[in-house]
Amino acid sequence: MARIDFYILPDTTLDARLAFACKLAETIWRKGYRLHLHCEDQALAEQADEALWTFRPDAYVPHALKNSDMAAQVPVVLGWNALPKPATETALLNLHPDIPDGIDAYARVAEIINQHQEVLVAKRACWQRYKELGHEVVPHKLG
């Protein structure tokens, strides 16, 4: 079973959620993990791609969209639709409102909740479903 870390933000905007996703992606990468950043659709993946370049002036997170020629060469890949089979030491950061099929192949999964109503509703449902499936759910309330 996977360990699911829920990061609970006080912010209400979707931009704040994406900014935190970039910081978390950088942290995961710096700890030596590969990361699949799973998005709801290609538009969100492209938005996250742009955010990873600009979220902090001194940051660099090597990343690529799943359909890029660079995807196999970088440690952070942004995708949508079906989850890829993870390589060793791959974490999943799920920005999709639902739990994607194939989550059991990942040892570590991160979810981000903020106070935006749509996100709250979707991620509360995910939290309950993860628990029903027997995953370890760990909350991290951020101030």
Side-chain angles (χ1 to χ4, degrees):
M1 291 288 136
R3 173 183 160 137
I4 316 297
D5 290 290
F6 273 87
Y7 296 89
I8 305 164
L9 308 178
D11 303 289
T12 59
T13 68
L14 296 176
D15 286 341
R17 184 172 182 246
L18 189 56
F20 183 77
C22 291
K23 292 174 192 170
L24 188 57
E26 180 184 32
T27 299
I28 292 168
W29 166 65
R30 290 201 182 278
K31 288 185 175 185
Y33 289 91
R34 294 186 59 78
L35 175 67
H36 178 76
L37 200 156
H38 189 65
C39 298
E40 184 173 7
D41 53 27
Q42 186 172 350
L44 180 57
E46 290 171 353
Q47 185 180 2
D49 174 51
E50 181 63 29
L52 281 166
W53 286 112
T54 60
F55 78 98
R56 207 176 71 233
D58 63 335
Y60 172 69
V61 179
H63 68 281
L65 294 170
K66 74 172 187 169
N67 56 1
S68 163
D69 293 338
M70 295 295 297
Q73 301 168 14
V74 296
V76 178
V77 177
L78 295 84
W80 55 97
N81 298 334
L83 286 181
K85 182 177 179 184
T88 306
E89 298 298 321
T90 300
L92 173 67
L93 173 49
N94 186 29
L95 292 180
H96 196 286
D98 298 322
I99 300 172
D101 291 335
I103 203 134
D104 291 330
Y106 293 81
R108 297 289 300 264
V109 177
E111 295 272 4
I112 302 171
I113 300 176
N114 71 349
Q115 306 309 305
H116 187 276
Q117 194 59 35
E118 289 177 22
V119 173
L120 275 173
V121 170
K123 292 303 163 184
R124 282 180 182 152
C126 288
W127 178 297
Q128 290 302 319
R129 184 69 182 137
Y130 282 129
K131 290 185 78 74
E132 289 168 5
L133 293 170
H135 295 288
E136 177 187 6
V137 177
V138 180
H140 304 277
K141 189 169 185 178
L142 306 174

